[in-house]
Amino acid sequence: MAPLFISRVISSASVGFGQLALAWGVMNLGYGAHGLSLVMACNAFPALLIICGGVAGDRFRRHHVLMGAETLACLSWLAIGAALFTGRAPLALLCVLGAIGGVATAMFLPTLRGIIADLLDSPSRPAGNALVNQTQSVGLLIGLISSGAMVTAIGPASAASMRGVLCGLSAVLLSRLATARPGNPGAGPLRELRAGWREFGACPWIWLMTLQYTAITTAVVCYTKIAGPLYATDGHGGAWAWGVIRACEPLGAVLGALVGARWRPEKPIQVAALLPLSVAFPMLLMGSGAAWQLIAVAAVIPGVCQAVYYVLWTSLLQERFSPHMLVRVNSWNMVTSYALMPLIMLVSGPLADTFGPERLAFWASGAVVIATLSVLTALRLLPRMAAIAKDESKEALV
């Protein structure tokens, strides 16, 4: 387990470097909001392959899938760093390299949620999930603070190269793990994909919360990838300030993981549905034109809540589904939100140019509130709908 946790610290730190490197690298080259949204859209587009990553995570040894994803990320980010070092990288090249990095993300994310089921037995999984989230938060905190200073002092090219180096180190650490080959190697990939869809669709509460996750993820993408960097650049502290704002969320997550490891709410599904509402707080502050220091303080709250959410949600899925099906179900849970990301990226840049990043952040917060209230209402109605369907079934038999 130790190599996994150390790998999560290093890899998550690399994500922090990458977030600021790509945003400020594109803007420093003079491509503006439209260019930024295009590069981010290309980086997000391969997330449509998440369902393929789910099949791979249930078909091959999971630590091998994670190693492959980290190796691909290493190569793509080293290339991005080299392109930015030239000072005149074509926008098309940055789009292609960003897309390659997106393929690595699509391979990595669903498999990571399943590997704890390989390494720990059922009673220990909530604590393991909490520790994974905590190590990720520590790494992201280190990466965001360090990258803000690096981008400001040296430039985004160095930060992008640093992400590539850290991904390579993570791949080496993951090679120290040992996981069994899951699934049935005799079944075809399409059959395995359909089986994962059937399991996913059989639980109404899962796909209801997936719809909520989709809406909230698109709102967070608008805020973190487009509105936030533009807001910081427009006289609100620059790259250093945005790095601090983004770092406050994983700082809260370090505390939240401790809560998630110990808290067992009576209604975990309803609690998990309510927690994402917290991401609207810093968005509302940005929408009102607040100082970046105030937004940074507010960002601690969603950090705490999202860490608790991660532990509750991941543990629920690990308890509900068998290990050989887990990664595919996770991939179906994630693919809808990531499928919309390229479109959201493409639209967000022009919207921010036209209406300003403040208005975009305010709209994003509204989407979070509406999605959360809607899913809470639907979850309250589910037992009643099930009871009505059961009564109708009995009447039909009579």
Side-chain angles (χ1 to χ4, degrees):
M1 291 294 294
L4 174 64
F5 296 136
I6 298 172
S7 165
R8 295 311 305 134
V9 173
I10 293 174
S11 182
S12 298
S14 80
V15 172
F17 280 96
Q19 286 184 7
L20 270 70
L22 198 55
W24 263 264
V26 172
M27 289 190 290
N28 286 356
L29 290 172
Y31 293 122
H34 285 72
L36 177 61
S37 65
L38 183 60
V39 172
M40 293 299 184
C42 291
N43 181 243
F45 182 76
L48 292 168
L49 300 173
I50 275 181
I51 54 174
C52 299
V55 172
D58 279 339
R59 193 175 180 84
F60 304 106
R61 298 179 190 274
R62 285 171 182 158
H63 73 289
H64 287 171
V65 177
L66 296 179
M67 285 170 56
E70 290 284 50
T71 302
L72 185 60
C74 169
L75 296 175
S76 65
W77 280 96
L78 287 175
I80 289 172
L84 294 178
F85 268 121
T86 66
R88 54 181 185 275
L91 186 63
L93 175 62
L94 294 176
C95 289
V96 170
L97 294 175
I100 295 172
V103 172
T105 301
M107 293 170 58
F108 192 92
L109 288 178
T111 307
L112 177 63
R113 291 191 178 185
I115 197 168
I116 287 293
D118 285 348
L119 301 175
L120 295 174
D121 56 14
S122 181
S124 303
R125 286 173 189 167
N129 293 325
L131 192 52
V132 165
N133 185 269
Q134 196 168 39
T135 52
Q136 288 178 166
S137 300
V138 169
L140 192 56
L141 176 63
I142 294 170
L144 287 167
I145 292 177
S146 303
S147 63
M150 181 176 285
V151 169
T152 302
I154 306 176
S158 299
S161 301
M162 179 61 72
R163 174 162 191 192
V165 171
L166 292 176
C167 287
L169 290 175
S170 175
V172 173
L173 285 166
L174 290 169
S175 69
R176 303 287 300 275
L177 296 174
T179 56
R181 181 191 294 271
N184 179 9
L190 290 179
R191 184 179 297 178
E192 292 183 350
L193 193 61
R194 287 194 297 268
W197 170 254
R198 285 194 299 269
E199 290 286 325
F200 171 80
C203 296
W205 59 271
I206 289 181
W207 52 259
L208 276 173
M209 292 185 66
T210 296
L211 293 176
Q212 179 200 22
Y213 182 76
T214 300
I216 290 177
T217 300
T218 55
V220 169
V221 164
C222 288
Y223 167 69
T224 59
K225 302 292 187 181
I226 305 296
L230 292 174
Y231 185 82
T233 302
D234 190 21
H236 292 90
W240 163 250
W242 184 240
V244 173
I245 291 171
R246 295 291 293 126
C248 284
E249 189 172 306
L251 176 62
V254 173
L255 305 175
L258 296 174
V259 177
R262 293 167 174 79
W263 188 30
R264 299 293 180 269
E266 292 184 6
K267 297 181 178 181
I269 297 174
Q270 287 78 1
V271 172
L274 178 62
L275 289 170
L277 182 64
S278 61
V279 302
F281 299 155
M283 296 178 188
L284 283 169
L285 289 172
M286 184 175 289
S288 65
W292 70 264
Q293 294 91 340
L294 186 58
I295 299 172
V297 173
V300 175
I301 300 172
V304 173
C305 294
Q306 287 185 67
V308 178
Y309 172 88
Y310 177 88
V311 176
L312 287 177
W313 180 250
T314 307
S315 300
L316 281 168
L317 294 185
Q318 289 169 350
E319 292 299 318
R320 172 63 178 79
F321 299 100
S322 61
H324 78 276
M325 188 68 65
L326 188 56
V327 177
R328 276 169 286 170
V329 173
N330 269 307
S331 68
W332 282 114
N333 167 239
M334 302 169 74
V335 70
T336 53
S337 57
Y338 285 93
L340 291 176
M341 275 193 186
L343 177 61
I344 297 300
M345 299 286 193
L346 288 173
V347 172
S348 296
L351 285 176
D353 254 356
T354 304
F355 299 103
E358 294 90 345
R359 187 69 60 85
L360 184 61
F362 180 79
W363 290 340
S365 69
V368 171
V369 173
I370 292 170
T372 301
L373 294 179
S374 298
V375 78
L376 286 171
T377 302
L379 288 171
R380 286 179 62 88
L381 293 175
L382 270 182
R384 301 177 188 177
M385 295 170 63
I388 292 172
K390 186 176 180 179
D391 291 341
E392 290 177 349
S393 177
K394 288 180 179 179
E395 290 176 4
L397 290 173
V398 173

